[in-house]
Amino acid sequence: MDSRPTGGRRDRMREATVREIHQTARTLLVTKGSAAVTINAVAREMGMSGPSLYHYYASRDALVDAVTADFFAELAEAMERDRDKHAGAPLGDRFLAACRAMRAWAVAYPAEFEWIFASPVGGAQHRPDSARHRAGLRFAHVFIDMIVEVWNARPFPVPDLNDLPEAMREQLRAYSRLIDGRLPAEAVHVYVTCWSRLYGLLCLEVLHQMDFVLTDMEPLFEQCLGELSDMLGFTLVTD
């Protein structure tokens, strides 16, 4: 006989139901699109009533927040795993491995990538205590922490802030303060440039916006990695 407290069993049953809710929402997303992910649709697929599912999530925004957190965590884990495979290698190798892992995840899970990066989500994402916000920060730190490590090991070339528009200078300084000065404003500009190129290229690929000329985006992605490597001062390592 199981002598564990009933509360523990209830908790496990609730966790199992939450996992099923998330998986059902993901299946609806992949097969029918983001608009199909609603409380009632998830409940219907699971054989539950809408009111029953509201015991787990009070609104669609809350469900979106939780599912998005799952996707961010999965992406971050993939990037961390490939980065850490190169634990003894130069920092550039680890950085490029994480970037390639991000692309591999995006290509393998385009609906999920679009859900977290290319579609608006509810206001819950902006709450520092939200699951989505915390998971998003974990993902972001995979990228920015390595940029900081590069900077601390050997500062890379940066622009003169005076050559940038005033509005941009103020935003770069504000972000530098937000990350406790781990990167000066000039280096934040390089970080933002790297991220925008990487992210923009992945969006173009996942959303099939380049299919009219390139159906295989890997060579262009590798070219982008070469450019980022030059900006950050390390050598591109090809697979």
Side-chain angles (χ1 to χ4, degrees), residues 176-193:
S176 178
R177 292 192 295 270
L178 183 66
I179 61 173
D180 300 321
R182 297 171 69 209
L183 288 175
E186 299 91 333
V188 171
H189 183 274
V190 177
Y191 157 65
V192 170
T193 301

Side-chain angles (χ1 to χ4, degrees), residues 8-148:
R9 185 158 49 246
R10 279 201 302 268
D11 288 344
R12 290 193 298 276
M13 292 175 63
R14 181 179 179 84
E15 289 170 5
T17 301
V18 167
R19 287 195 297 271
E20 185 179 357
I21 290 170
H22 289 196
Q23 184 55 54
T24 302
R26 186 174 194 163
T27 300
L28 284 169
L29 168 68
V30 171
T31 59
K32 298 183 179 180
S34 59
V37 183
T38 66
I39 294 288
N40 287 334
V42 171
R44 185 166 54 250
E45 291 293 319
M46 293 177 61
M48 297 173 63
S49 67
S52 295
L53 202 144
Y54 278 109
H55 287 299
Y56 295 88
Y57 294 106
S59 66
R60 182 182 186 273
D61 280 352
L63 175 60
V64 166
D65 184 56
V67 173
T68 305
D70 281 354
F71 296 162
F72 266 127
E74 186 178 304
L75 173 55
E77 287 168 7
M79 295 173 69
E80 290 165 350
R81 182 172 58 251
D82 279 24
R83 176 200 64 194
D84 294 344
K85 287 178 181 176
H86 299 76
L91 176 57
D93 295 15
R94 288 184 277 137
F95 176 81
L96 294 173
C99 291
R100 290 178 179 127
M102 182 179 176
R103 176 179 178 266
W105 190 90
V107 171
Y109 304 107
E112 291 87 338
F113 180 89
E114 184 175 354
W115 172 279
I116 59 178
F117 286 119
S119 300
V121 296
Q125 64 167 310
H126 300 296
R127 296 198 323 265
D129 63 335
S130 73
R132 191 261 184 215
H133 183 81
R134 293 193 301 271
L137 282 179
R138 176 186 173 185
F139 157 74
H141 278 295
V142 177
F143 194 77
I144 194 170
D145 285 354
M146 286 189 291
I147 300 287
V148 170

Side-chain angles (χ1 to χ4, degrees), residues 151 156-177 183-193:
W151 177 257
F156 40 79
V158 294
D160 186 333
L161 279 185
N162 292 324
D163 293 336
L164 302 176
E166 182 178 357
M168 179 178 286
R169 294 199 299 268
E170 290 307 311
Q171 292 177 86
L172 296 174
R173 292 187 181 111
Y175 188 78
S176 178
R177 292 192 295 270
L183 288 175
E186 299 91 333
V188 171
H189 183 274
V190 177
Y191 157 65
V192 170
T193 301

